């Protein structure tokens, strides 16, 4: 009888700016792995996004390596595919390093000359074949191109892509893969990418997204979904929850209230929170009077964090200020709408007409395939800065004192200390 674990989307190293959450995140992975060792699984499958980025912090790497070593010493094999987060086209990612250290085996083996995937055979006789997730979901093309072999005997297909028929409504339709694109004939389809546990069937065989062991964003935490992984015994999947902390939600709907009323409501709700390791505060809606800046969020967070044990996460992205008037635009093209908004809102004194538009174009550019977060941040910073500097040279923008650096943003510090982006 074969027993294995299917884990995905651990995103180790996520929540870099919230140390407590970063700790819960890695703790959840450690818990999941300990459970696998206890249950004496034959092997563990990691269906992508083990790390939050291709080069995570060394303390995270160290803890992961220790744990994978423990797994290996317990005689358990680990198989992995890349996720969209731990993949790096340009350079080796940590996944490659861990594979070189024989801590796990990458099961993505594309034989270009034959346009097919080769299979890894586990000691138990189970064949494991995988396809990685990539940035911008380029893997969709693979499913259309590759000629998949029909597997021999017991087999698992590992993937990291959203499946059309299973995808929750809040995940964009773009680039989803239909369930029919998954290769035929496998006994278990181990999916990653969607951070919620989901189950479906393909020709009577389980297609499973294990969900995330903890989550990598506020949205993940806020969604009241389960966190954990799957244990599969005799080809029957069973969900194993992982709970490393308790969460409490505070929701304030600001619609129709003034800023000071919302502040009072928040204080009242904050005072009523008596437990929870993590408190998720969400304030949403349009204020009747005032703007979000009128609300003293810092004091409310202090109030909630006053017992020292709790982590507070505040989301006020959908809290809107009282609007004086709306800009009306009929055009549908994004650029036209943006141009109109800039025209109607006017430009700050001393700046040239299209500065806003030009800045927006830079800030809107997306991360490129294979680009690291640091490189991406550096590129955007560099381009923004050179645009502003060029305008300064043209004498169209007043000289302003250098803005103080935000120590939370390492990319800025890097630029300052090394005098320019690495590009
Ligand atoms: Mn993920």
């Amino acid at each position: 009888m074969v027993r294995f674990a299917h884990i995905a989307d651990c995103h180790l190293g996520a929540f870099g700016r919230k140390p407590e959450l970063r700790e819960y995140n890695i703790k959840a992975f450690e818990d999941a792995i300990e459970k696998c060792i206890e249950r004496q699984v034959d092997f563990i499958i990691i269906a992508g996004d083990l790390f939050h980025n291709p080069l995570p912090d060394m303390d995270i790497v160290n803890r992961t390596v220790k744990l994978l070593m423990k797994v290996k010493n317990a005689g358990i094999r680990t198989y992995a595919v890349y996720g969209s987060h731990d993949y790096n086209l340009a350079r080796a990612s940590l996944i490659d390093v861990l594979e070189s250290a024989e801590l796990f085996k990458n099961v993505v083996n594309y034989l270009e000359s034959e346009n097919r995937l080769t299979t890894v055979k586990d000691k138990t006789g189970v064949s494991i074949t995988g396809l990685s997730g990539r940035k911008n979901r380029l893997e969709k093309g693979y499913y259309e191109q590759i000629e998949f072999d029909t597997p021999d005997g017991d087999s698992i297909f590992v993937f990291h892509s959203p499946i059309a028929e299973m995808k929750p409504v809040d995940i964009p339709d773009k680039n989803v893969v239909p369930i029919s694109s998954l290769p035929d004939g496998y006994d278990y389809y181990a999916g990653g990418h969607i951070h919620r546990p989901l189950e479906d069937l393909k020709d009577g065989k389980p297609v499973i997204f294990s969900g995330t062991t903890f989550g990598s964003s506020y949205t993940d935490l806020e969604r009241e979904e389960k966190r954990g992984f799957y244990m599969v015994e005799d080809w029957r999947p069973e969900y194993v929850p992982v709970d490393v902390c308790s969460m409490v939600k505070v929701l304030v709907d600001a619609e129709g209230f003034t800023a000071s009323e919302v502040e009072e409501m928040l204080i009242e709700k904050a005072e009523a929170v008596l437990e929870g390791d993590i408190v998720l505060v969400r304030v949403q809606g349009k204020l009747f009077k005032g703007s979000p800046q009128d609300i003293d969020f810092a004091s409310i967070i202090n109030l909630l964090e006053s017992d020292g044990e709790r982590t507070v996460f505040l989301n006020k992205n959908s809290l809107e200020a009282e609007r004086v008037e709306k800009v009306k635009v009929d055009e549908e093209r994004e650029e036209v709408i943006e141009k109109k908004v800039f025209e109607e809102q006017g430009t700050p004194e001393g700046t040239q007409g299209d500065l806003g538009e030009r800045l927006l174009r830079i800030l809107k550019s997306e991360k490129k395939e294979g680009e690291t977060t640091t490189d991406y941040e550096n590129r955007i910073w560099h381009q923004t800065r050179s645009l502003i500097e060029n305008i300064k040279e043209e004498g169209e923008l007043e000289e302003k004192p250098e803005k103080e650096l935000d120590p939370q943003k390492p990319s800025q510090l890097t630029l300052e200390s090394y005098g320019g982006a690495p590009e």
Side-chain angles (χ1 to χ4, degrees), residues 8-11 47-52 83-85 160 192-195 212 216 220:
D9 294 284
C10 308
H11 285 264
D49 284 354
L50 172 61
F51 296 103
H52 193 54
S84 35
H85 278 261
H160 190 91
H193 186 67
I194 295 178
H195 289 189
T212 173
S216 61
D220 282 348

Side-chain angles (χ1 to χ4, degrees), residues 30 47 68-69 161 204 288 344-345 422:
E30 288 170 342
L68 292 175
M69 205 65 216
S161 313
F288 172 67
E344 297 209 16
Q345 295 283 336

